[in-house]
């Protein structure tokens, strides 16, 4: 009978990313197969108050690159933005800005 391998607690802790308080957070909108590009542009204009050209640039990043950072700031505010995107039917997440 072979023993089951158990992961090292220290190794698992190393793999988790720990938040750095000095780095801002981002709201990221991800591409999905459901929403029309015109609708995503509309949401960015309506919710964030962006000019048409900026909203379209972000929508094209979502469409072509698979995601776009639509807002940067404090974690709590980014979570509110992500929830608002969900309310509009868009897929959004919050992450800490990469180093």
């Amino acid at each position: 009978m072979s023993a089951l391998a158990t992961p090292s607690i220290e190794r698992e802790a190393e793999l988790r990313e720990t938040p750095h308080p000095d780095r801002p957070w981002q709201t990221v909108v991800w591409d999905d197969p459901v929403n029309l590009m015109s609708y995503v542009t509309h949401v960015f204009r309506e919710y964030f108050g962006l000019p048409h050209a900026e909203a379209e640039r972000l929508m094209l990043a979502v469409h072509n690159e698979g995601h776009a950072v639509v807002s940067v700031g404090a974690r709590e505010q980014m979570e509110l933005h992500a929830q608002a995107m969900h309310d509009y039917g868009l897929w959004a997440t919050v992450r800490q800005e990469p180093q």
Side-chain angles (χ1 to χ4, degrees):
M1 184 187 298
S2 64
L4 293 175
T6 56
S8 166
I9 302 285
E10 293 79 22
R11 177 72 178 138
E12 284 183 22
E14 288 174 12
L15 295 176
R16 287 192 209 121
E17 186 175 323
T18 55
H20 296 281
D22 57 333
R23 289 199 339 249
W25 292 78
Q26 301 174 328
T27 301
V28 181
V29 173
W30 299 87
D31 195 21
D32 66 54
V34 177
N35 292 297
L36 297 173
M37 292 188 292
S38 59
Y39 177 70
V40 175
T41 301
H42 165 76
V43 169
F44 292 165
R45 291 191 73 199
E46 183 173 294
Y47 180 77
F48 292 107
L50 297 174
H52 186 271
E54 179 66 9
E56 194 164 83
R57 183 190 69 76
L58 288 170
M59 173 278 296
L60 286 171
V62 170
H63 179 72
N64 294 323
E65 299 168 30
H67 70 285
V69 174
V70 296
S71 188
V72 176
R75 182 178 185 169
E76 294 78 15
Q77 187 63 48
M78 297 308 100
E79 289 173 350
L80 290 173
H81 290 330
Q83 183 58 54
M85 294 299 97
H86 297 166
D87 293 345
Y88 279 102
L90 302 182
W91 180 28
T93 58
V94 173
R95 69 180 183 196
Q96 197 161 31
E97 192 171 75
Q99 290 184 6

